[in-house]
Amino acid sequence: MDWDKLRIFHAVAEAGSLTHAGDVLHLSQSAVSRQIRALEEGLGTTLFHRHARGLILTEQGEMLFDATKAMNRKLDTTAARIRDSEEHVFGELKVTTTTGFGTLWLVPRLAKLYERYPDLKIDLLLEERVLDLPMREADVAIRMKEPSQADLIRRRLLNIRMRLYASPEYAERMGLPQKVEELATHRLICQNPTTPQVHAGAVLAQGLLAQHGSTTLLVNSYFGVLQGVLSHVGIGILPNYMEHEMPYLVRVLPDVESSEVPVFLAFPEELRTSRRVAAFRDFVLEEITAMRRNQEES
């Protein structure tokens, strides 16, 4: 099989369209079509069902696409290893984590990482969905539970808990509850327990909402909860690392908190020798250590 034809086939299978694949490959639709037709003739089989909405892989096409995806992943990994140098950290690094941890903890620290490695390019994927690292949907993941996928190198970073916080202005103006029953006279800001989030946070929110009699503000991310707290809208459920990020936040009802949530960093075994992965991992560990030291001193 001709490598170039396989590359074109892979692009068409991903795009589901000759036109879109041609745009990606900078080829005309007719040129792409000729290459696919030649590949089908060479293999003696049909790779795509053609219909008005685009192209659908046949059973034989699916088999070939599985092979080209594996080849593509291997080539990406090889290219990453080649680009990595012992002396210099550069190139793209795809990092995935939750929206809350990414916006509230990681992004504010990235200026220091870029200062150390100015040629590093980070593609940050913030979502609650757990991306498939062995399939190279991302290079590194920071997740709020231990990864279950095989062939991953994992490191436990820290444990966090969800707690209640208010702004100093809100505390001064509205006062703070001294027991859980008094929380019902305040506006609770939290994620809806049914939205994707860490399980411990959902359990805490569910319990407080069940006995809450006043108005609430439900937001689908911890960043939104934080903005509500900072805007003095009410008392919010936030991860306890916010005590380090914003020490002026006022802890409410110190006895009320979620169960412990483990935070793990993970990456595929095949990236063990990647300088970019090592640089990012070491940076995150340094920042975690610094945060713990400051908390102990406080």
Side-chain angles (χ1 to χ4, degrees):
M1 285 181 279
D2 183 280
W3 284 98
D4 201 47
K5 290 184 177 63
L6 289 176
R7 178 177 66 89
I8 292 171
F9 162 80
H10 185 80
V12 173
E14 277 196 324
S17 159
L18 295 172
T19 303
H20 291 156
D23 292 340
V24 171
L25 298 167
H26 305 293
L27 294 172
S28 66
Q29 179 181 337
S30 58
V32 173
S33 181
R34 281 196 302 273
Q35 293 293 325
I36 295 299
R37 192 160 54 248
L39 182 61
E40 289 179 323
E41 290 172 358
L43 292 172
T45 190
T46 300
L47 299 173
F48 294 98
H49 292 303
R50 293 156 174 83
H51 61 84
R53 291 179 297 168
L55 301 176
I56 296 178
L57 287 164
T58 62
E59 182 180 353
Q60 293 77 13
E62 289 281 4
M63 291 169 59
L64 186 58
F65 189 40
D66 286 341
T68 59
K69 281 192 290 188
M71 291 162 56
N72 210 45
R73 288 196 303 274
K74 192 68 177 175
L75 288 170
D76 283 346
T77 301
T78 302
R81 287 174 175 170
I82 291 171
R83 285 194 300 267
D84 277 339
S85 111
E86 274 188 36
E87 304 292 329
H88 193 47
V89 174
F90 68 100
E92 184 181 70
L93 184 69
K94 292 171 71 174
V95 178
T96 178
T97 189
T98 60
T99 304
F101 192 81
T103 55
L104 302 178
W105 191 90
L106 182 58
V107 170
R109 289 170 165 76
L110 289 182
K112 285 190 261 182
L113 181 63
Y114 282 123
E115 185 177 348
R116 190 179 302 177
Y117 305 113
D119 295 324
L120 189 61
K121 299 176 182 177
I122 294 178
D123 183 3
L124 189 56
L125 310 171
L126 301 179
E127 52 182 296
E128 309 312 310
R129 181 173 68 94
V130 177
L131 300 189
D132 194 329
L133 297 186
M135 292 294 288
R136 297 304 302 278
E137 287 188 306
D139 300 316
V140 183
I142 299 176
R143 307 305 308 187
M144 306 301 117
K145 62 179 180 179
E146 184 169 8
S148 58
Q149 293 170 301
D151 301 324
L152 292 181
I153 297 172
R154 63 205 71 198
R155 175 72 177 266
R156 192 164 185 155
L157 297 175
L158 73 160
N159 299 311
I160 63 175
R161 293 179 185 270
M162 304 302 158
R163 295 173 175 170
L164 291 166
Y165 298 95
S167 68
E169 291 86 344
Y170 180 89
E172 184 177 350
R173 187 178 75 245
M174 304 296 294
L176 295 178
Q178 300 304 307
K179 49 188 178 180
V180 176
E181 293 75 19
E182 294 176 6
L183 187 63
T185 62
H186 295 262
R187 184 174 295 108
L188 182 65
I189 312 170
C190 63
Q191 289 202 62
N192 190 312
T194 62
T195 62
Q197 59 185 294
V198 294
H199 178 69
V203 170
L204 177 62
Q206 192 170 32
L208 293 175
L209 287 169
Q211 55 183 320
H212 201 70
S214 186
T215 61
T216 59
L217 172 61
L218 301 182
V219 191
N220 67 346
S221 78
Y222 286 119
F223 181 74
V225 174
L226 175 63
Q227 294 308 305
V229 170
L230 295 179
S231 300
H232 329 305
V233 175
I235 296 171
I237 299 176
L238 289 167
N240 66 332
Y241 56 75
M242 293 312 302
E243 294 173 15
H244 177 265
E245 304 305 301
M246 299 180 177
Y248 50 83
L249 287 176
V250 179
R251 177 88 184 270
V252 179
L253 296 173
D255 292 335
V256 176
E257 62 181 9
S258 75
S259 59
E260 219 168 47
V261 180
V263 181
F264 281 85
L265 181 144
F267 54 91
E269 173 73 34
E270 61 193 23
L271 293 180
R272 177 188 289 273
T273 60
S274 168
R275 291 288 297 169
R276 287 166 298 139
V277 170
F280 180 80
R281 176 203 61 206
D282 293 347
F283 174 77
V284 169
L285 289 172
E286 286 174 20
E287 290 297 310
I288 295 287
T289 301
M291 183 175 71
R292 283 178 176 152
R293 190 182 303 119
N294 289 340
Q295 287 174 337
E296 288 170 2
E297 291 172 357
S298 299

